[in-house]
Amino acid sequence: MDVLSQLQRQLADFLASLYREGFVDDQFTQLQKLQDESSPDFVMEVVSLFFEDCEKLVNNMAKVLEQQVVDFKQVDSHVHQLKGSSSSIGAARIRNVCIAFKTFCEAQNREGCLRCLQQVNHEHAQLKANLQSLFTLERQIVAAGGSVPAMQ
Amino acid sequence: MMQGNIWISLNPLGSAQSMTLVLRFQIRPSYGRATFAPGTSSEQPSSNPQFRGLRVILADDDALNRTVTKKLLEKLGCEVTAVSSGFECLSALSSAENSVRLVVLDIQLPEMHGFEVATRIRKVRSRSWPLLK
């Protein structure tokens, strides 16, 4: 197998594992389908936007949660935003944490919220690392003369 | 397509589901999800003839949602002006005169709520239009 085929095989396998393990879902596929010659870095740009968003929201949530009296409505609104944007890019695990997170906000459970926040951080880091690997593989494929197919 | 009408679709909180909401309305049953078929050529084969050249104003204060929705609409062949507030939306509409056919609004816009934007637009444009939820 030549280098290009090997890389493409690696990419396909890696992508399949990301779906299988629930890191990304169908919305991520839709995002990839939106990428084209006029916007070859579309997915990466959107994903970067998401991670920036996520960090900002997590910092805000942490600040609110460390107050003497926690404004759970505020936390909830941040979680809601994170849930929305994670859904938009297909970040399934993060979205799922947000669902649980919202329940703790409604129950005004600070400990539960803090646990979820930790989980969000964890998932954020994992997804970031995974997508970095994905983009690196894609770049290698393009450099080897190939093109990146959309996931079927 | 409704010639000469403005369609306003309220995009609740910018979730992915609401994007589909806009499209479902426009798409005849036979298309279904086919509009998301991968288009690899630069011809944009996935663009729906109904959407080609359709001028759209997209109002959403969330940069991520705005980016994704804009790309989605462009992929369908629309000509999109993306703004991030109700005020910008209204001024974009007034400068576009009568050529804008579709306005996609996030219901939670800073300073001016989506409904208020819709009301103001209605006052300015006398032709009737349906409101989609």
Side-chain angles (χ1 to χ4, degrees):
Chain A
M1 226 195 250
D2 62 290
V3 173
L4 183 57
S5 305
Q6 261 183 312
L7 285 170
Q8 284 171 327
R9 173 63 175 271
Q10 234 184 306
L11 177 68
D13 288 346
F14 186 61
L15 205 45
S17 73
L18 292 184
Y19 282 95
R20 211 172 35 240
E21 291 165 35
F23 284 105
V24 295
D25 63 23
D26 187 59
Q27 184 57 30
F28 187 72
T29 314
Q30 301 306 325
L31 221 63
Q32 289 183 304
K33 287 176 180 173
L34 289 176
Q35 186 162 287
D36 57 23
E37 291 89 0
S38 69
S39 55
D41 297 317
F42 178 70
V43 179
M44 194 159 27
E45 285 165 8
V46 173
V47 163
S48 306
L49 266 175
F50 170 70
F51 286 131
E52 274 172 34
D53 236 15
C54 188
E55 251 178 72
K56 211 172 37 180
L57 287 167
V58 165
N59 288 336
N60 289 342
M61 286 188 250
K63 284 202 185 92
V64 178
L65 283 166
E66 62 189 44
Q67 300 303 312
Q68 278 274 31
V69 179
V70 176
D71 182 351
F72 285 101
K73 274 210 161 77
Q74 226 196 334
V75 182
D76 183 84
S77 110
H78 291 319
V79 176
H80 189 86
Q81 208 181 325
L82 185 60
K83 180 167 161 239
S85 47
S86 56
S87 297
S88 291
I89 72 152
R93 284 200 185 185
I94 294 179
R95 187 199 67 231
N96 290 339
V97 176
C98 288
I99 293 172
F101 205 150
K102 281 199 124 231
T103 316
F104 286 120
C105 288
E106 279 151 31
Q108 309 218 336
N109 181 334
R110 191 211 286 254
E111 284 313 308
C113 285
L114 287 170
R115 272 200 309 273
C116 285
L117 194 60
Q118 237 184 342
Q119 253 187 300
V120 169
N121 273 329
H122 174 76
E123 293 300 341
H124 172 141
Q126 276 210 294
L127 184 63
K128 203 169 190 178
N130 280 328
L131 292 181
Q132 297 288 30
S133 303
L134 187 76
F135 295 140
T136 303
L137 265 173
E138 288 183 345
R139 269 197 302 272
Q140 288 174 328
I141 287 173
V142 171
S147 64
V148 182
M151 168 90 172
Q152 292 312 308
Chain B
M1 268 304 269
M2 307 276 285
Q3 296 306 313
N5 278 320
I6 298 177
W7 295 69
I8 299 203
S9 171
L10 296 179
N11 182 348
L13 301 162
S15 67
Q17 242 172 320
S18 58
M19 270 194 271
T20 319
L21 206 62
V22 178
L23 303 172
R24 267 195 202 134
F25 187 89
Q26 308 271 6
I27 292 171
R28 295 190 293 270
S30 56
Y31 280 97
R33 294 279 281 178
T35 48
F36 286 124
T40 46
S41 85
S42 55
E43 281 288 321
Q44 288 200 346
S46 59
S47 72
N48 184 319
Q50 285 183 319
F51 291 109
R52 203 165 293 141
L54 184 74
R55 296 195 58 183
V56 179
I57 293 181
L58 167 66
D60 195 323
D61 66 328
D62 183 279
L64 189 140
N65 288 328
R66 200 166 55 235
T67 307
V68 176
T69 309
K70 181 174 188 215
K71 187 66 186 174
L72 186 69
L73 291 168
E74 284 174 344
K75 201 78 173 173
L76 288 171
C78 299
E79 233 183 80
V80 185
T81 304
V83 298
S84 56
S85 75
F87 290 110
E88 283 179 49
C89 180
L90 292 172
S91 65
L93 256 180
S94 56
S95 59
E97 292 173 352
N98 289 320
S99 57
V100 172
R101 287 279 181 255
L102 178 68
V103 180
V104 179
L105 290 175
D106 179 7
I107 202 162
Q108 282 182 338
L109 290 172
E111 294 158 40
M112 199 190 288
H113 192 270
F115 280 123
E116 199 188 329
V117 179
T119 310
R120 289 208 189 181
I121 292 173
R122 185 170 213 174
K123 284 203 175 110
V124 170
R125 304 296 194 104
S126 55
R127 289 177 283 189
S128 64
W129 46 269
L131 189 70
L132 302 175
K133 298 254 176 207

